[in-house]
């Protein structure tokens, strides 16, 4: 069942130079228990979209439906009750530095009808859930970045929300700590059946734990689908840049890496192959050599895991007669392999 449903949602702001369209005609649904990623570069409209989801902004047009409720019509007590069902994780943690770990986690419960002992017991359960046993009385200044974010996650879960919104929650962390926090979120999703929406500019975050992804550019959703499908067969240029930055290390400094390699390897044609699932373990290179009169120079390759399956990326140089190279490219496509050819 769809827990989140956005129907033709737009959000405009009035500025000095006229109307600014931050979000434009956005449509997507998030199923209950799903981890849904929204990825885009700075200025794509991701932060505005978060504020629409948690009711901090109302859409200029369209509907934001959360659990079949139109968020825009809520006000007063109903809006406050609704916001308790949305947990928020922030990039810079937003902890109170004068409060201990257990006090920070229990903070959202202070306006509830729970007794102090009940609030403390709930906070202790959450401390155990996020792996911070023994740090209950520590202050934020005594914690690492990853530990601070674990406190933020525990605090976001205090009111037993239906949805967890993570707004660039790993951007301030190093790669190893990022993976640890993502593993924790995946574990929470499985244990609690919690729906998670991740806002990020890092495709690694999407690949590691998301089930589905929407790619934003200039306020619009330009591509969306299952993570494996989007990674293995990106359609839009912005999506291809994101995927290349995650699958091919060199492209982090050169998003047009295929064309760069095509210029560097002038003897043949540079081709990027993408394999899904079991095809990642298929002896496709030996097959093409047997069927076509080409030489294959493997430049780079790797296999990566998503939440649901695996996919492989291989960059090769094909040399030989032009017609044989074209035949080899056709052979790859016939075998169900994704093919992208560098432009010389």
């Amino acid at each position: 069942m769809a827990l989140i449903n956005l129907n033709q949602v737009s959000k405009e702001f009035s500025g000095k130079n006229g109307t600014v369209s931050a979000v434009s005609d956005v449509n997507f649904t998030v199923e209950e228990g799903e981890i849904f990623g929204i990825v885009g570069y700075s200025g794509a409209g991701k932060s505005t979209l978060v504020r629409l989801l948690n009711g901090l902004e109302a859409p200029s047009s369209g509907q934001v439906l959360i659990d079949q409720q139109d968020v825009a019509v809520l006000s007063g007590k109903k809006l406050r009750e609704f916001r308790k069902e949305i947990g928020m994780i922030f990039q810079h943690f937003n902890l109170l530095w004068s409060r201990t770990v257990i006090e920070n986690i229990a903070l959202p419960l202070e306006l509830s009808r729970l007794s102090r002992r009940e609030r403390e017991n709930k906070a202790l359960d959450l401390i155990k859930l996020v792996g911070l046993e023994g740090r209950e009385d520590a202050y934020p200044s005594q914690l690492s970045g990853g530990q601070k974010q674990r406190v933020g996650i525990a605090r976001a879960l205090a009111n037993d929300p239906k949805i967890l919104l993570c707004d660039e929650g790993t951007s301030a962390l190093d790669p190893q700590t990022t993976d640890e926090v993502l593993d924790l979120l995946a574990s929470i999703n499985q244990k609690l059946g919690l729906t998670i929406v991740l806002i990020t500019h890092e495709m690694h975050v999407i690949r590691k734990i998301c089930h589905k992804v929407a790619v934003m550019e200039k306020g619009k959703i330009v591509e969306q689908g299952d993570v494996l499908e989007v990674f293995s067969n990106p359609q839009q240029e912005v999506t291809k840049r994101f995927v290349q930055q995650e699958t091919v290390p060199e492209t982090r400094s050169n998003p047009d890496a295929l064309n760069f390699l095509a210029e560097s390897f002038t003897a043949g044609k540079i081709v990027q192959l993408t394999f899904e699932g079991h095809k990642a373990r298929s002896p496709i290179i030996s097959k093409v050599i047997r069927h076509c009169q080409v030489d294959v120079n493997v430049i780079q390759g790797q296999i990566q895991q998503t939440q649901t399956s695996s996919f492989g990326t291989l960059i090769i140089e094909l040399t030989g007669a032009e017609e044989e190279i074209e035949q080899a490219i056709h052979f790859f496509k016939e075998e169900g392999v994704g093919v992208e050819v560098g432009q010389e």
Side-chain angles (χ1 to χ4, degrees), residues 139-160:
Y139 287 90
S141 60
Q142 299 170 306
L143 303 176
S144 67
Q147 289 172 329
K148 290 173 188 171
Q149 195 55 286
R150 288 173 185 266
V151 177
I153 292 169
R155 181 188 57 191
L157 297 174
N159 279 314
D160 299 315

Side-chain angles (χ1 to χ4, degrees), residues 12-273:
E12 297 176 343
F13 296 97
S14 297
K16 293 181 180 179
N17 298 320
T19 301
V20 176
S21 180
V23 172
S24 179
D25 197 26
V26 165
N27 296 276
F28 66 78
T29 60
V30 181
E31 301 296 320
E32 189 172 359
E34 194 169 65
I35 304 180
F36 190 93
I38 300 171
V39 66
Y41 293 111
S42 296
K46 305 187 304 296
S47 295
T48 301
L49 198 56
V50 170
R51 295 174 66 84
L52 290 167
L53 289 172
N54 62 19
L56 290 175
E57 296 283 357
S60 302
S61 61
Q63 277 189 318
V64 178
L65 300 175
I66 307 291
D67 200 13
Q68 301 182 346
Q69 281 191 115
D70 188 341
V71 178
V73 304
L74 300 178
S75 61
K77 183 179 179 181
K78 287 186 177 180
L79 182 58
R80 290 192 296 272
E81 290 299 316
F82 160 76
R83 286 181 178 150
K84 288 181 181 179
E85 297 181 351
I86 309 288
M88 282 292 303
I89 305 171
F90 304 94
Q91 178 179 357
H92 297 296
F93 320 124
N94 288 13
L95 304 180
L96 294 179
W97 294 84
S98 61
R99 294 200 178 203
T100 63
V101 166
I102 193 168
E103 289 169 344
N104 266 284
I105 294 171
L107 180 63
L109 299 172
E110 290 184 0
L111 296 178
S112 70
R113 296 180 180 179
L114 297 177
S115 67
R116 181 174 179 178
R117 175 60 61 85
E118 289 172 322
R119 294 198 302 269
E120 287 182 355
N121 287 340
K122 182 70 177 290
L124 287 170
D125 288 341
L126 290 169
I127 284 170
K128 184 177 181 180
L129 178 67
V130 300
L132 284 175
E133 298 98 321
R135 305 296 284 165
E136 295 87 347
D137 298 322
Y139 287 90
S141 60
Q142 299 170 306
L143 303 176
S144 67
Q147 289 172 329
K148 290 173 188 171
Q149 195 55 286
R150 288 173 185 266
V151 177
I153 292 169
R155 181 188 57 191
L157 297 174
N159 279 314
D160 299 315
K162 293 180 180 178
I163 299 167
L164 194 60
L165 294 182
C166 183
D167 188 8
E168 298 282 6
T170 60
S171 296
L173 306 176
D174 62 75
Q176 180 178 337
T177 307
T178 291
D179 281 349
E180 291 171 358
V181 169
L182 293 176
D183 287 341
L184 174 61
L185 289 173
S187 174
I188 288 169
N189 167 257
Q190 292 171 359
K191 288 178 181 176
L192 306 181
L194 188 63
T195 305
I196 301 177
V197 178
L198 285 169
I199 309 294
T200 184
H201 66 275
E202 299 173 292
M203 207 61 171
H204 170 73
V205 172
I206 301 296
R207 176 186 63 78
K208 188 168 177 65
I209 70 167
C210 292
H211 301 111
K212 292 183 181 175
V213 60
V215 182
M216 286 196 77
E217 185 179 34
K218 297 179 181 178
K220 296 179 179 289
I221 299 290
V222 296
E223 190 165 353
Q224 61 178 307
D226 292 338
V227 168
L228 182 61
E229 177 187 340
V230 171
F231 261 84
S232 60
N233 189 29
Q235 298 298 307
Q236 302 298 319
E237 285 304 315
V238 64
T239 313
K240 291 178 182 179
R241 290 200 299 273
F242 272 119
V243 170
Q244 285 181 351
Q245 287 171 15
E246 167 62 4
T247 57
V248 186
E250 283 84 349
T251 62
R252 289 173 186 160
S253 58
N254 178 17
D256 200 21
L258 269 187
N259 294 339
F260 173 76
L261 290 170
E263 293 172 0
S264 302
F265 290 76
T266 55
K269 185 158 288 188
I270 299 300
V271 178
Q272 178 172 289
L273 308 176

Side-chain angles (χ1 to χ4, degrees), residues 8 132 138 256 295 315 341:
Q8 297 182 311
L132 284 175
D256 200 21
D295 290 321
I315 295 180
V341 180

Side-chain angles (χ1 to χ4, degrees), residues 319-335:
T319 55
E322 184 66 29
E323 61 270 19
E324 292 292 338
I325 291 175
E326 291 303 320
Q327 184 180 343
I329 291 171
H330 179 73
F331 177 82
F332 286 132
K333 292 178 180 178
E334 288 289 309
E335 288 289 309

